[in-house]
Amino acid sequence: MRKKKIVGNNSNNKLTNKNGDKLKRIKISLIFTVIALVIFYICYPIINGDFVWDDKLHILNNTDISDNGLLGVLNVFRPTDKYMYHPITILSYKLDYLISGYNTTSYHLTNIIIHIIVTILVYMVTYKVMKNIYISLFVSLFFCFHWMHVEPVAWISGRKDLLAGLFFFSSLLTYILYKEKNNSRYYL
């Protein structure tokens, strides 16, 4: 069987592909910006919220967070009976403490940023599976509005749920990319 000869200028095809890629990047950037703005808008009232419920146990009364030395970092990984064992979460509180002490604004802002990242990951995973921008946007916006996902943003101690979502959806996206591209770079 003979191959068909493509008639036309290859530079025009490359230009069309470049413009298409650029338009796609602009569209994705716009979608991510919309997601971030929507989340920031719905979560803005909590920025100046105070420590509540378990926040006092996990943050205010936790000496591992306020200890700035190397021992304080190592103590984060030491199991204790004072609070639940969540070393990555406690490490993130420690980072917030180093930035602003016990000013709750940075703790809430960190939760909002993590929620934005997780929602964008939900969009990316949904898009990889559904191949539809509008369905992916709907699913990610539903995810960001749902009260089960807004509560951990408002409640500082709920960060463990946000981090679990971050690791879950980034792992799922990486697995999808690995299966799609069959490249061990995504596997590792």
Side-chain angles (χ1 to χ4, degrees):
M1 183 177 239
R2 292 177 54 183
K3 292 183 181 179
K4 289 185 178 180
K5 185 175 181 181
I6 298 174
V7 179
N9 189 348
N10 282 341
S11 63
N12 285 341
N13 291 340
K14 288 179 184 177
L15 185 61
T16 305
N17 287 342
K18 258 187 193 178
N19 288 339
D21 289 345
K22 186 176 183 181
L23 184 62
K24 187 176 180 181
R25 282 194 298 270
I26 289 171
K27 197 182 286 188
I28 289 172
S29 297
L30 183 64
I31 288 170
F32 290 173
T33 303
V34 166
I35 288 171
L37 289 174
V38 165
I39 290 173
F40 194 76
Y41 178 77
I42 63 173
C43 294
Y44 181 76
I46 65 159
I47 290 243
N48 293 317
D50 206 1
F51 290 111
V52 294
W53 306 311
D54 292 346
D55 297 343
K56 294 173 182 154
L57 173 69
H58 292 291
I59 299 165
L60 293 176
N61 299 333
N62 188 346
T63 56
D64 292 337
I65 291 173
S66 58
D67 185 3
N68 292 332
L70 178 63
L71 188 59
V73 173
L74 295 176
N75 281 341
V76 167
F77 296 98
R78 178 183 43 92
T80 180
D81 60 350
K82 290 188 260 183
Y83 48 84
M84 291 185 265
Y85 182 68
H86 297 281
I88 303 299
T89 307
I90 300 296
L91 212 55
S92 72
Y93 296 149
K94 189 171 189 57
L95 185 62
D96 280 328
Y97 179 81
L98 290 173
I99 292 170
S100 67
Y102 290 119
N103 181 353
T104 56
T105 301
S106 74
Y107 293 86
H108 285 298
L109 197 55
T110 302
N111 281 5
I112 291 170
I113 291 168
I114 295 170
H115 188 53
I116 288 169
I117 294 168
V118 171
T119 305
I120 288 172
L121 286 169
V122 168
Y123 173 85
M124 294 170 73
V125 166
T126 307
Y127 183 76
K128 285 290 184 186
V129 172
M130 301 299 294
K131 305 288 190 222
N132 186 306
I133 291 174
Y134 302 108
I135 292 173
S136 304
L137 183 61
F138 174 77
V139 168
S140 60
L141 288 176
F142 183 76
F143 176 87
C144 85
F145 281 125
H146 197 277
W147 63 270
M148 287 291 290
H149 304 292
V150 173
E151 181 185 12
V153 179
W155 175 40
I156 297 170
S157 291
R159 187 175 298 174
K160 60 187 170 292
D161 299 333
L162 296 170
L163 291 172
L166 177 72
F167 290 122
F168 173 76
F169 285 109
S170 59
S171 299
L172 186 58
L173 180 62
T174 304
Y175 178 74
I176 291 170
L177 290 171
Y178 165 71
K179 291 301 276 184
E180 188 178 84
K181 298 184 186 299
N182 201 14
N183 187 337
S184 62
R185 175 179 90 176
Y186 296 105
Y187 185 73
L188 302 174

